[in-house]
Amino acid sequence: MNADILNLLRDPAGVPFYPVVFQGLYILTWALHALFVFLSIGSLGLSLYGTYKQKDDETWKIITPHLLQTGKLSVSLLIVLGVAPLLFTQVIYDPNWYTINTLSGLWVVIFIYTLLVGYSMYYWYYYANKKGSSSSKLIGVISFCLLVFAGLLMHVFSVQAIQPEKWMQWYAPNGTVDTSGLTFNPETIRFLFLMSLSIPAVGLFLQNYSDFLKSTKKFSESFLTKTREIGTKIAISGFVISFILFITWSFQINKLADIYSILIIVFTLLMIVLSNKMKNSYLTSLLFIVFLLVISGFREYLRFNIMNNFGYNIYEYPLNIEWASISMFVLTFLSLGGVGVTFIATMAWKVGKSNGYFDASKDKTVTLMANSLLWILSTWCIVYFAWGFYILFKNSL
Ligand code: HEM
């Protein structure tokens, strides 16, 4: 495989906007995908421990179903937020992404079913735990393993995509074409490092959970203090594990002395201190999101350098600016996405903070947002279809 072939594999239509913008959006959206990957795996993992403890421990009896609920919602968010980086990858690194989807085609299909069965079993686990069924633990463990396996597959696609020098060898080992679609070459330490971030994610979540509920009168002071302590312990030990794994990984790929790796190492140490000392846990969580952005940037930094050294430079991708689709994207993102997410988040916040029944129709802010969203959605639908039909008829008539 050489750079000429890679460049030929690019979309002849070019990219609709400057590649650097897609690269930035990739970094941002992958960090958000990762946030919910770590929160779901962390909550699900910890809830499994909770199922053993909840019988004779009051704290775990309360936390376990809440962790289960958090993980369940996070899986749906990680799926939605996974689509965005997938699209951006396909725009600027399409030769890489599609080659891997061919070499590991069967794994790609297996990924879909793993996710489908893993997530369905999560719901089973959720209801079984609610009913107090003894089989819930086993179902939960299977669901956990399937979701982690889905992550392993995503990891395999990611790391294989940045090794174009090995593609021919995987495609035709010893000169014989392998059409099985079963190419599978993980980079164990990288995967372990990434997945280890699930531990601090759930630790910080428990700190937030405790701080959030403090202002309500739903739970006792001692329960909230104990939950925060558990969260702090988990967050600190998780960051220590991630720290060791990151050093091992960066050493393995010969990047330990790289300025970017040093930044991550220092940031991890800072997170260890902050998760122990910081009173305001929302701030620590905000910094954790920044931390994930840095990790996401590091992944892209590695990929960009590898591909650039290979002769494939995304900044040289043929450009064919399409103002119409760009404006539609930005307007949708800001109006529908912005107002929609703010509406749901505001409502969820207020429901959690209220002591008892929350009547959204009596809340001025929530009602205003709900009405605005309806108007925006209706207008969006009209513009979307009118524009679509206009382009369709303009091109075909
Ligand atoms: C439980 C399910 C999932 C888990 C645990 C998971 C986990 C991960 C992990 C750990 C990575 C980083 C791999 C690496 O850099 O070595 C990753 C990358 C990624 N994931 Fe997921 N993921 C899941 C589902 C999804 C879904 C459903 C989508 C899309 C709809 C998705 C889209 C992506 C994308 C686009 C990347 C980056 C690929 C690249 O450009 O290198 N993931 N995922």
Side-chain angles (χ1 to χ4, degrees):
M1 187 61 58
N2 60 40
D4 291 339
I5 299 182
L6 280 174
N7 287 326
L8 270 177
L9 283 170
R10 294 184 304 194
D11 185 350
V15 280
F17 208 59
Y18 300 100
V20 67
V21 175
F22 290 108
Q23 193 180 29
L25 286 169
Y26 172 85
I27 293 172
L28 171 72
T29 52
W30 187 82
L32 295 175
H33 169 62
L35 176 67
F36 289 101
V37 165
F38 301 147
L39 189 55
S40 61
I41 299 292
S43 316
L44 173 53
L46 191 61
S47 77
L48 291 173
Y49 174 75
T51 53
Y52 284 96
K53 296 281 284 182
Q54 67 187 357
K55 238 187 189 161
D56 21 56
D57 187 317
E58 267 311 302
T59 307
W60 285 100
K61 198 174 179 174
I62 303 170
I63 305 178
T64 307
H66 289 179
L67 284 171
L68 257 149
Q69 182 80 300
T70 308
K72 187 160 70 71
L73 291 172
S74 301
V75 176
S76 71
L77 285 167
L78 84 83
I79 296 173
V80 173
L81 288 163
V83 178
L86 194 62
L87 298 179
F88 298 126
T89 290
Q90 286 174 84
V91 174
I92 45 178
Y93 291 104
D94 45 342
N96 306 57
W97 188 250
Y98 291 115
T99 306
I100 290 315
N101 272 257
T102 311
L103 288 173
S104 300
L106 195 55
W107 285 123
V108 174
V109 177
I110 292 171
F111 167 77
I112 305 286
Y113 287 100
T114 306
L115 190 59
L116 202 76
V117 177
Y119 198 18
S120 305
M121 290 195 71
Y122 197 152
Y123 271 83
W124 185 3
Y125 168 47
Y126 174 74
Y127 287 113
N129 187 67
K130 215 171 181 179
K131 269 203 327 207
S133 156
S134 58
S135 61
S136 77
K137 295 181 190 66
L138 178 67
I139 301 161
V141 170
I142 299 175
S143 166
F144 178 77
C145 294
L146 286 174
L147 293 178
V148 171
F149 183 63
L152 176 65
L153 290 177
M154 262 298 154
H155 156 77
V156 165
F157 306 147
S158 299
V159 291
Q160 289 182 163
I162 53 173
Q163 299 176 71
E165 75 284 359
K166 295 199 181 140
W167 291 351
M168 274 312 286
Q169 179 194 321
W170 290 332
Y171 171 65
N174 304 318
T176 314
V177 175
D178 176 6
T179 54
S180 66
L182 282 170
T183 303
F184 187 86
N185 299 284
E187 217 183 273
T188 315
I189 305 290
R190 171 176 166 146
F191 179 64
L192 288 179
F193 161 67
L194 288 170
M195 293 312 271
S196 74
L197 291 169
S198 308
I199 310 170
V202 69
L204 293 180
F205 169 77
L206 284 182
Q207 288 189 344
N208 291 164
Y209 171 91
S210 165
D211 286 357
F212 181 80
L213 291 173
K214 215 170 239 166
S215 61
T216 69
K217 291 174 184 67
K218 289 177 189 165
F219 299 101
S220 70
E221 189 69 34
S222 64
F223 163 74
L224 294 175
T225 315
K226 195 171 166 200
T227 311
R228 204 181 203 285
E229 280 168 10
I230 296 173
T232 307
K233 269 191 206 146
I234 294 177
I236 295 174
S237 42
F239 277 124
V240 171
I241 295 171
S242 306
F243 176 77
I244 297 167
L245 284 168
F246 182 76
I247 291 191
T248 319
W249 174 42
S250 53
F251 176 73
Q252 194 186 43
I253 57 170
N254 228 349
K255 285 268 182 269
L256 187 56
D258 191 287
I259 184 77
Y260 207 144
S261 305
I262 295 169
L263 173 74
I264 293 176
I265 290 169
V266 174
F267 208 152
T268 320
L269 289 173
L270 183 75
M271 290 307 296
I272 296 175
V273 177
L274 291 181
S275 45
N276 188 23
K277 294 266 180 270
M278 188 89 104
K279 286 238 152 40
N280 184 344
S281 71
Y282 298 137
L283 220 59
T284 326
S285 293
L286 212 67
L287 276 168
F288 183 61
I289 296 174
V290 178
F291 179 70
L292 292 182
L293 278 166
V294 173
I295 303 284
S296 182
F298 186 65
R299 286 176 77 255
E300 178 52 22
Y301 169 72
L302 293 179
R303 173 163 67 174
F304 179 83
N305 282 334
I306 291 172
M307 294 311 295
N308 193 32
N309 291 341
F310 211 78
Y312 179 89
N313 184 339
I314 53 163
Y315 300 138
E316 285 163 10
Y317 210 112
L319 192 63
N320 183 13
I321 295 191
E322 277 177 46
W323 283 109
S325 55
I326 294 300
S327 341
M328 188 71 192
F329 170 79
V330 174
L331 286 175
T332 306
F333 188 74
L334 295 179
S335 64
L336 206 55
V339 179
V341 171
T342 318
F343 164 61
I344 294 168
T346 311
M347 192 150 76
W349 181 275
K350 291 198 173 200
V351 171
K353 283 283 182 193
S354 72
N355 286 308
Y357 182 74
F358 175 74
D359 186 348
S361 62
K362 293 208 174 88
D363 187 291
K364 269 194 187 148
T365 326
V366 174
T367 310
L368 177 73
M369 279 196 220
N371 289 335
S372 319
L373 195 61
L374 261 177
W375 276 108
I376 294 171
L377 183 62
S378 313
T379 319
W380 185 87
C381 285
I382 296 168
V383 173
Y384 182 81
F385 285 106
W387 200 332
F389 280 119
Y390 168 71
I391 302 283
L392 182 72
F393 291 127
K394 196 179 103 185
N395 289 338
S396 58
L397 289 180

